[in-house]
Amino acid sequence: MTSQVSSPAEQTDAALVGEQRSSDNGGAGKEVRRLDRVIIRFAGDSGDGMQLTGDRFTSETASFGNDLSTLPNFPAEIRAPAGTLPGVSSFQLHFADHDILTPGDAPNVLVAMNPAALKANLADVPRGAEIIVNTDEFTKRPMAKVGYETSPLEDGSLAAYNVHPVPLTTLTIEALKEFGLSRKEAERSKNMFALGLLSWMYHRPTEGTEKFLRTKFAKKPDIAEANVTAFRAGWNFGETTEDFAVSYEVAPATKAFPTGTYRNISGNLALSYGLIAASQQADLPLYLGSYPITPASDILHELSKHKNFGVRTFQAEDEIAGIGAALGAAFGGALAVTTTSGPGVALKSETIGLAVSLELPLLIVDIQRGGPSTGLPTKTEQADLLQAMYGRNGEAPVPIVAPRTPADCFDAALDAARIALTYRTPVFLLSDGYLANGSEPWRIPDLEELPDLRVQFASGPNHELADGTEVFWPYKRDEQTLARPWAVPGTPGLEHRIGGIEKQDGTGNISYDPANHDFMVRTRQAKVDGIAVPDIEVDDPTDDTGRGASTLVIGWGSTYGPITAAVRRVRGAGERIAQAHLRHLNPFPRNLGEVLARYEKVIVPEMNLGQLATLLRARYLVDARSYTQVSGMPFKAEQLAEVFKEAIND
């Protein structure tokens, strides 16, 4: 995750890589092979519990100490017709004994719960990979739904793969006979049978999953024990069946992480924790005004659990009310947040402009998804950058911060809060669906590592009139930051005007004066331009002669993992290439222009049609070359590696 040590495993995704050696499997007499990494994809109908299965496998993998990266993939419809291609849900997990960066390009193991899952995912599976198929679902009607005229399990079309036909449904029902469940109720546990089988296959711990199931179904102990029984039956099946002659070990990633306490965390959870940490470090109550929207709703759900930290959450009737309440909370002295996705940003734009005019701290968290309009609610995209930059009437500059990994969402939230509180401005925090739902190990920071975000509220007069009278001017600015004072309503003597009409410099009175408007517009822009952000760092290894690369890859947001993995592959093939990644998109780091000018070629991979590249070309007059993708899925490392090689040799 944090280490930049090159790994052979990031140079090929098509096959299992690592030492393979035989040993005794606890007396079972089966071969055990040691691998350095594995990519598993669970796939099934949206009602088959694939996300829960993947999440539990991930949790046990994290507790075991592997590095990991996940890619949940949900249907775009709330409940697509069962057994159809649009209804397929999948969860991909890449885990390793070393530092990794992506969920992997292609699964080494596909668990297909029905024909639709097989057909929807088979194109991603490399030859020689293992496919575990629930044969009970491969009957005439389910196959016909997805266009199989003959069974792929019998017609030879899967000859290039190592197929394990397993009657998961039948075995689950048989294992749960003693519980007296109906067939439909028993079938629901087949995902736990599959999880048990894969847990045996890759030597995953089991205690955590059993504890989780008993806690999740505490009010239905029979259902809890049925799921535990199905889970154990899957484990036992793997150990006893002749079809699975080999199991695999992936050792903990002991050298991948700095010393510390780690946990598995998703982007939305890390962002939620970052917001809570920011409020604690600022000694301010946290207020969230929000309206549920995919894929941002998890932040609302999570923050609502933390009233003990002074968090207040308000689920409004619509997006406009959500941000309006948040802005009111900012006026009242809270660390205010509103969460949404792209369509919600459009609705919130007028109030964001009001926050710019009022110069109040407000965090606008945009978990980007495919668009336009409703678009692809469950798929990822990076296409809101220009909306965040310019999507308001008038000159209304707003700082923009973008995390690069799920765990980095924690630090990005703290950084966004720092900017908002220090400079009295709304701030965009641009995550996306890939980061929000994906997960990785996160080192829990010590309290002393967190920044001090405390602010000084205005407490008395700050200006003296010509006649010697002391008054409070709400738009008198700090000389360093250009931030105006933050006066909490109700503080005696600090009464002042607010509203969306232009303010007079200093006094905050309504002003229609052209010169004053020009001055206020330029001052607000200068405040954003003057925000302190770190210089961009460039990873550019030199060769034996001391020469660096002539090609630079620059990205932002969630493209960090695929770009870095691709750069490692290109370097592993003997090519020189430099890499830089932007967290701050407005303002840009002060050294960015100088960095871009050092390279003959600049490549900008984005999950949009070239929005950052457009900004770079306009601002710095560089020939930034776009490489874009708007498929709703993240880039693959091998895909980018080929693009980089072509650019280097062009």
Side-chain angles (χ1 to χ4, degrees):
M1 314 324 284
T2 55
S3 170
Q4 295 302 306
V5 178
S6 180
S7 164
E10 287 293 352
Q11 297 169 18
T12 173
D13 273 314
L16 296 173
V17 176
E19 176 189 1
Q20 298 188 356
R21 60 185 180 85
S22 299
S23 65
D24 182 63
N25 185 16
K30 291 192 175 185
E31 181 183 0
V32 179
R33 295 180 185 172
R34 175 164 291 179
L35 307 174
D36 68 351
R37 69 188 190 97
V38 175
I39 303 167
I40 298 174
R41 184 182 297 178
F42 298 95
D45 195 69
S46 57
D48 284 338
M50 294 296 94
Q51 302 306 319
L52 175 62
T53 305
D55 182 68
R56 288 314 312 160
F57 196 95
T58 300
S59 295
E60 298 296 0
T61 296
S63 68
F64 187 70
N66 296 119
D67 196 5
L68 61 89
S69 180
T70 69
L71 177 62
N73 189 12
F74 311 95
E77 297 182 42
I78 293 176
R79 188 65 174 95
T84 63
L85 295 175
V88 173
S89 175
S90 68
F91 188 106
Q92 183 161 305
L93 166 68
H94 183 188
F95 62 102
D97 65 2
H98 58 272
D99 168 42
I100 58 173
L101 295 155
T102 74
D105 287 0
N108 308 123
V109 181
L110 171 66
V111 180
M113 303 297 281
N114 61 19
L118 178 65
K119 188 161 191 176
N121 291 279
L122 190 59
D124 291 337
V125 182
R127 296 171 66 88
E130 299 195 64
I131 300 177
I132 299 172
V133 179
N134 179 16
T135 56
D136 289 325
E137 291 295 320
F138 280 74
T139 56
K140 187 173 182 179
R141 185 177 179 186
M143 289 192 295
K145 278 187 179 181
V146 295
Y148 281 131
E149 296 182 0
T150 60
S151 173
L153 306 182
E154 300 172 355
D155 63 9
S157 59
L158 301 179
Y161 310 97
N162 186 12
V163 179
H164 300 276
V166 180
L168 288 172
T169 306
T170 300
L171 291 171
T172 302
I173 293 171
E174 183 67 25
L176 302 184
K177 271 187 176 181
E178 63 182 275
F179 291 91
L181 302 174
S182 67
R183 179 181 177 87
K184 186 175 182 180
E185 290 173 326
E187 279 186 16
R188 290 174 181 164
S189 297
K190 64 180 181 290
N191 63 324
M192 288 298 105
F193 189 101
L195 177 60
L197 173 57
L198 269 293
S199 297
W200 169 84
M201 196 171 174
Y202 291 98
H203 295 220
R204 299 296 90 186
T206 60
E207 295 81 2
T209 293
E210 293 189 12
K211 181 179 179 181
F212 167 83
L213 291 170
R214 291 192 173 101
T215 301
K216 179 177 176 65
F217 298 107
K219 295 182 179 180
K220 298 179 179 179
D222 288 348
I223 299 298
E225 291 308 312
N227 277 282
V228 170
T229 299
F231 176 67
R232 290 177 176 175
W235 176 283
N236 293 334
F237 177 78
E239 186 152 308
T240 58
T241 183
E242 295 182 1
D243 191 38
F244 291 89
V246 178
S247 65
Y248 304 92
E249 288 182 348
V250 180
T254 53
K255 297 181 181 179
F257 308 116
T259 302
T261 302
Y262 287 79
R263 61 156 294 166
N264 184 53
I265 200 164
S266 68
N268 273 351
L269 184 57
L271 201 153
S272 300
Y273 287 174
L275 294 174
I276 296 171
S279 75
Q280 294 296 299
Q281 293 303 105
D283 196 21
L284 296 175
L286 179 64
Y287 184 93
L288 174 67
S290 184
Y291 181 76
I293 184 171
T294 301
S297 299
D298 286 342
I299 301 171
L300 171 61
H301 300 159
E302 183 61 34
L303 290 181
S304 68
K305 303 174 184 177
H306 297 286
K307 296 179 178 65
N308 57 313
F309 285 113
V311 179
R312 292 186 179 182
T313 53
F314 170 53
Q315 180 174 320
E317 66 268 29
D318 55 40
E319 297 280 7
I320 299 171
I323 191 173
L327 186 57
F331 179 61
L335 176 59
V337 184
T338 189
T339 53
T340 190
S341 186
V345 173
L347 293 168
K348 296 177 189 289
S349 61
E350 183 179 7
T351 307
I352 297 171
L354 177 59
V356 172
S357 178
L358 299 183
E359 300 187 48
L360 286 170
L362 173 67
L363 300 184
I364 305 113
V365 179
D366 178 4
I367 312 297
Q368 300 166 95
R369 73 188 203 192
S373 187
T374 303
L376 305 172
T378 62
K379 309 301 180 183
T380 194
E381 206 163 272
Q382 285 185 300
D384 294 350
L385 176 56
L386 294 183
Q387 182 182 29
M389 186 76 79
Y390 300 120
R392 293 162 296 284
N393 64 296
E395 295 289 344
V398 176
I400 303 172
V401 177
R404 64 185 189 179
T405 69
D408 188 49
C409 289
F410 178 86
D411 295 318
L414 284 165
D415 198 13
R418 170 189 69 85
I419 293 171
L421 295 171
T422 302
Y423 296 90
R424 311 287 196 269
T425 178
V427 177
F428 262 103
L429 183 54
L430 287 185
S431 180
D432 61 44
Y434 173 35
L435 295 184
N437 297 314
S439 64
E440 65 177 352
W442 171 58
R443 187 182 68 84
I444 301 172
D446 295 327
L447 287 177
E448 54 267 24
E449 297 176 46
L450 302 181
D452 184 350
L453 300 178
R454 287 174 293 183
V455 297
Q456 191 70 41
F457 288 111
S459 58
N462 62 359
H463 184 75
E464 185 176 313
L465 299 177
D467 62 2
T469 304
E470 291 188 340
V471 296
F472 174 68
W473 275 15
Y475 283 84
K476 189 167 185 175
R477 300 180 183 279
D478 181 278
E479 292 183 0
Q480 297 297 318
T481 65
L482 298 182
R484 76 173 187 88
W486 194 2
V488 176
T491 306
L494 302 190
E495 297 84 0
H496 59 282
R497 294 176 181 271
I498 64 169
I501 296 178
E502 184 62 279
K503 314 292 186 294
Q504 184 183 51
D505 178 41
T507 69
N509 295 330
I510 293 173
S511 174
Y512 298 104
D513 178 66
N516 177 78
H517 176 59
D518 184 274
F519 178 79
M520 293 295 282
V521 167
R522 295 180 186 278
T523 300
R524 289 188 290 261
Q525 183 66 58
K527 180 174 68 170
V528 172
D529 291 342
I531 290 171
V533 303
D535 283 350
I536 192 169
E537 297 181 359
V538 183
D539 177 13
D540 186 354
T542 57
D543 63 13
D544 295 338
T545 66
R547 292 184 306 163
S550 61
T551 301
L552 171 71
V553 181
I554 187 166
W556 68 278
S558 66
T559 57
Y560 172 77
I563 288 175
T564 308
V567 165
R568 290 181 181 180
R569 295 182 187 213
V570 171
R571 290 176 181 169
E575 302 279 6
R576 292 199 310 274
I577 190 167
Q579 178 189 359
H581 207 78
L582 285 166
R583 166 176 280 181
H584 298 95
L585 297 151
N586 193 31
F588 285 130
R590 282 159 179 69
N591 69 330
L592 180 57
E594 180 271 327
V595 166
L596 294 173
R598 293 206 306 255
Y599 295 91
E600 296 176 12
K601 302 170 186 174
V602 177
I603 308 169
V604 189
E606 296 181 80
M607 293 189 295
N608 56 48
L609 294 183
Q611 297 186 14
L612 175 61
T614 297
L615 294 174
L616 296 180
R617 292 172 71 94
R619 179 75 60 87
Y620 301 107
L621 302 180
V622 297
D623 184 20
R625 305 183 184 184
S626 281
Y627 181 76
T628 64
Q629 174 176 295
V630 283
S631 64
M633 296 295 287
F635 286 112
K636 294 183 177 180
E638 183 60 32
Q639 165 193 3
L640 290 180
E642 291 302 318
V643 171
F644 300 164
K645 290 176 186 176
E646 290 177 9
I648 292 169
N649 297 313
D650 182 8

